[in-house]
Amino acid sequence: MGCDGGTIPKRHELVKGPKKVEKVDKDAELVAQWNYCTISQEILRRPIVACELGRLYNKDAVIEFLLDKSSEKALGKAASHIKSIKNVTELRLSDNPAWEGDKGNTKGDKHDDLQRARFICPVVGLEMNGRHRFCFLRCCGCVFSERALKEIKAEVCHTCGAAFQEDDVIVLNGTKEDVETLKSRMEERRLRTKLGKKAKKPKAPESVSKPGVSEESPGPSKIKTGKPEETNLDSKEKKASSAPKSAAANGSSSGKVGKPLCGATKRSIANSEESEAYKSLFTTHSSAKRSKEESAHWVTHTSYCF
């Protein structure tokens, strides 16, 4: 059953005590927060954005997250408060000139200095590696260290000159207390914008709400209701009375009562005072008439053909 062959077991091998609580390496945690995207867990690369809770993301990862309509999203809880691209702010970061990256570590035999960061504070020069508190302005996206904002107190951004308020300052990768305060600010801000949109919507007028009733259209009391026979008789009498009036008006306008407008006497060209050459053009002239001998057979005779 064991312990044969001269083996001597020790106490910790026989007696099992309570398991030790695993401690998270602080350096590894800082590297994960400040160098990797919260959604995709990939290395941060420009364009880099931050949410209203101070977490860092790759912009393309946020767009993919918003476009993904599946019910099971990877790491969806970390970005569940992001409803649209307007909820994130693109950051204006200042590069660290002392950061070399992976250029000098091509063989893999060089020590990676975790204290060295890619970005720095443009005012004080502190590196953004997690050892110092950093924040950004929601109005313009510029990133500064908290020490710079405390030492140089101003109501204008140090880089772009944009005006900001205390509500616009958001701490990057803050503590749990910082996240709770930022979350309450975020909810208040969204509630204010929602109420502002409702107030801007114009109220519909009363006439639009009641399309069936108009000011010009008469009501049911104004409409005269009568028998259909009486209405027909009235319409016939009106037509009969209007007929003689129209005839009298036509007669008075023509100047001759009882005679139509087209009743003018026909004028014969034979009795006119025109020349003989002009009269010979018409069929009523004597030269156009033929005798019976000259005329064709009755079958082929046409009064209009000569």
Side-chain angles (χ1 to χ4, degrees):
M1 297 298 293
C3 295
D4 53 349
T7 57
I8 301 172
K10 296 180 180 178
R11 185 178 183 280
H12 70 273
E13 294 177 354
L14 298 175
V15 180
K16 292 183 179 181
K19 291 184 178 180
K20 294 181 180 180
V21 179
E22 295 181 357
K23 294 182 179 180
V24 180
D25 188 5
K26 291 183 178 181
D27 293 335
E29 188 178 3
L30 292 175
V31 169
Q33 287 180 350
W34 292 93
N35 295 332
Y36 290 89
C37 174
T38 307
I39 296 177
S40 61
Q41 300 299 317
E42 295 178 357
I43 296 175
L44 291 173
R45 56 183 180 275
R46 284 190 170 95
I48 300 172
V49 296
C51 65
E52 293 172 304
L53 301 182
R55 294 166 184 162
L56 300 174
Y57 309 90
N58 288 326
K59 191 172 183 179
D60 55 352
V62 175
I63 294 171
E64 290 177 3
F65 173 78
L66 294 173
L67 293 176
D68 186 11
K69 301 298 181 182
S70 61
S71 57
E72 297 179 358
K73 291 184 180 180
L75 300 173
K77 293 181 180 179
S80 59
H81 59 283
I82 301 175
K83 304 299 180 182
S84 68
I85 198 66
K86 294 181 180 179
N87 298 139
V88 295
T89 306
E90 188 171 347
L91 301 180
R92 296 180 180 180
L93 297 163
S94 301
D95 294 325
N96 185 7
W99 187 72
E100 297 179 358
D102 297 333
K103 293 179 182 179
N105 194 15
T106 54
K107 297 180 181 180
D109 56 350
K110 189 177 179 181
H111 174 68
D112 292 333
D113 189 5
L114 299 177
Q115 302 298 324
R116 191 73 64 189
R118 292 171 57 190
F119 309 108
I120 60 172
C121 173
V123 180
V124 184
L126 295 175
E127 295 186 358
M128 199 173 72
N129 53 8
R131 300 292 179 182
H132 309 281
R133 287 169 64 88
F134 272 73
C135 52
F136 75 95
L137 304 180
R138 197 173 56 88
C139 56
C140 60
C142 296
V143 181
F144 304 98
S145 62
E146 195 176 39
R147 186 189 298 179
L149 292 176
K150 287 181 179 179
E151 290 180 357
I152 307 172
K153 294 182 179 181
E155 296 179 355
V156 179
C157 177
H158 302 310
T159 304
C160 62
F164 67 93
Q165 299 177 357
E166 188 179 355
D167 190 25
D168 296 329
V169 180
I170 296 177
V171 181
L172 289 171
N173 292 326
T175 59
K176 292 182 179 180
E177 296 176 357
D178 295 332
V179 172
E180 288 178 0
T181 54
L182 291 173
K183 193 172 184 180
S184 61
R185 284 185 191 177
M186 178 185 69
E187 292 174 355
E188 291 176 2
R189 197 182 300 116
R190 291 184 181 181
L191 183 62
R192 267 189 270 117
T193 54
K194 192 175 181 180
L195 295 174
K197 286 181 181 179
K198 287 183 178 180
K200 286 182 181 179
K201 287 183 179 179
K203 294 182 179 179
E206 295 180 357
S207 59
V208 176
S209 61
K210 298 179 180 180
V213 180
S214 62
E215 294 179 357
E216 296 180 358
S217 60
S221 60
K222 294 182 181 180
I223 299 172
K224 294 180 180 180
T225 56
K227 294 181 180 179
E229 295 177 358
E230 293 177 359
T231 55
N232 292 333
L233 291 173
D234 294 339
S235 61
K236 287 180 181 178
E237 289 176 0
K238 287 180 181 178
K239 287 180 181 179
S241 61
S242 62
K245 289 181 181 178
S246 62
N250 291 332
S252 62
S253 63
S254 62
K256 296 179 181 179
V257 180
K259 290 185 179 181
L261 293 173
C262 60
T265 57
K266 293 182 180 181
R267 187 184 62 162
S268 64
I269 297 173
N271 298 329
S272 64
E273 296 179 357
E274 302 292 338
S275 62
E276 290 295 329
Y278 180 76
K279 291 179 180 180
S280 63
L281 296 175
F282 299 93
T283 57
T284 57
H285 194 258
S286 60
S287 61
K289 294 180 181 180
R290 298 184 181 183
S291 60
K292 292 182 180 180
E293 296 175 357
E294 294 177 354
S295 61
H297 193 261
W298 65 272
V299 177
T300 59
H301 174 68
T302 307
S303 61
Y304 300 102
C305 298
F306 299 99

